[in-house]
Amino acid sequence: MTESQGTYEQPPTYSAAVNPQWPPPPPHQPAMQPAPHRKKRTRGPVALLAAVAIVAAAVGGGTAYAFQELTGKDAVATAGSSTTVVPTSKKGDVAAIASAVSPSVVEVNATLAGGSSTGSGVVITSGGEIVTNNHVVSGATSIKVRTSDGKSYTAEVVGTDSSKDLALIKLQGASGLKAAALGDSSGVQVGDSVVAIGSPEGLTGTVTSGIVSALDRDVTVSTDEGQGQGQGGDGQWPFQFGGREFNGDTGSSTTTYKAIQTDASLNPGNSGGALIDSSGQVIGINSAMYSSGSQASSSSDAGSIGLGFAIPVNTVKSDLAKLRAGSDS
């Protein structure tokens, strides 16, 4: 910084997007108050560092920040490491986490050409944007969503990404919904406590808990339309792991992604629901479960044996712009 006739350059304003996956923060910065001349030498660098810190927070998620699209779309609550959805004194308390986050998890019922599919979804904006799994809504002719308070909405698919098994749907006529805080899955460690919320077998708002039992598991699911979980009420959850198929035929087209493994109980219907850390932040979207080969032959016997998988939330955040743009892939 250079000095010219007793004045100093003001910190730069950041009008361009820091990360193309997210729009820039809204350009409403509080007016900087001029400091007495004798303090310019000390306050100038501090002001510059403050401006840089704001940008760094937008990139790294160091503090809670609401990213908002310039088109006026709802803000997505993105939580940082210092953000808690539950009170600090209740951190890790399953009852407190369930109470805080359950309103942000919905049941998704898709009508398909050959049956139906039941799954879950996570509210990411108050106006009704919902993230779920692609295999929950793939091939749907209509979608109904039920919130935790029992209200029912019609939903439309905004965009899908079968390569990541993600989909974005939007509720019609919804407002004032409680959006979940999306955390940072890069900081997740094996042994971390987690809570899963979803609608297994249509049982809305079911809460289970456990730990992160492994990271970066290669999980393969179907990308074919009509392979949605729960199709026709048979409880199938097509899934491959280690070269074997579980819970039904995955079809001719599949996708593989790196997943968070958890021993929190997951069952058909949990797909698209939330995997939550001890602070109440969503760290993953539940997507698949493992059951033994003998169980796979009978849907009545199929169930969780403590091996469930979730798509890391950072994958969701990086894919959100594409989904909002109406991608259908």
Side-chain angles (χ1 to χ4, degrees), residues 36-303:
H37 179 75
R38 67 180 182 276
K39 292 187 176 181
K40 282 184 177 180
R41 185 170 298 278
T42 58
R43 292 185 62 84
V46 172
L48 178 60
L49 289 174
V52 173
I54 291 173
V55 175
V59 175
T63 58
Y65 197 86
F67 290 94
Q68 188 168 23
E69 296 213 34
L70 297 178
T71 57
K73 290 185 179 179
D74 295 323
V76 178
T78 303
S81 58
S82 62
T83 303
T84 55
V85 178
V86 297
T88 303
S89 61
K90 294 289 187 178
K91 184 176 181 179
D93 186 308
V94 175
I97 294 169
S99 176
V101 186
S102 288
S104 302
V105 181
V106 301
E107 178 181 315
V108 179
N109 293 286
T111 300
L112 311 174
S116 63
S117 176
T118 300
S120 306
V122 177
V123 179
I124 63 168
T125 64
S126 61
E129 286 185 316
I130 309 288
V131 169
T132 185
N133 286 140
N134 176 66
H135 74 257
V136 171
V137 298
S138 179
T141 56
S142 66
I143 301 172
K144 296 291 185 182
V145 170
R146 184 170 61 172
T147 55
S148 64
D149 59 3
K151 293 181 180 179
S152 182
Y153 296 89
T154 298
E156 294 182 347
V157 175
V158 177
T160 62
D161 187 347
S162 60
S163 67
K164 296 180 175 66
D165 196 21
L166 290 173
L168 181 69
I169 62 176
K170 179 69 181 291
L171 306 188
Q172 296 180 358
S175 63
L177 301 182
K178 183 176 181 180
L182 305 185
D184 181 3
S185 53
S186 67
V188 173
Q189 296 182 341
V190 173
D192 284 350
S193 297
V194 290
V195 171
I197 303 179
S199 300
E201 304 293 355
L203 301 174
T204 304
T206 297
V207 177
T208 58
S209 64
I211 64 168
V212 173
S213 53
L215 297 171
D216 297 326
R217 293 298 199 199
D218 287 325
V219 170
T220 302
V221 296
S222 172
T223 61
D224 290 340
E225 292 189 0
Q227 285 288 331
Q229 68 163 5
Q231 181 184 352
D234 61 6
Q236 298 288 297
W237 194 340
F239 163 62
Q240 290 180 354
F241 183 74
R244 298 172 58 197
E245 292 181 351
F246 301 94
N247 307 313
D249 182 9
T250 54
S252 60
S253 179
T254 61
T255 184
T256 301
Y257 54 82
K258 298 290 185 180
I260 298 170
Q261 179 181 305
T262 178
D263 68 352
S265 179
L266 301 180
N267 289 285
N270 272 113
S271 252
L275 188 67
I276 308 150
D277 69 9
S278 60
S279 296
Q281 302 172 17
V282 176
I283 58 168
I285 300 297
N286 298 323
S287 57
M289 71 168 223
Y290 175 101
S291 65
S292 68
S294 59
Q295 288 178 321
S297 62
S298 172
S299 61
S300 62
D301 294 332

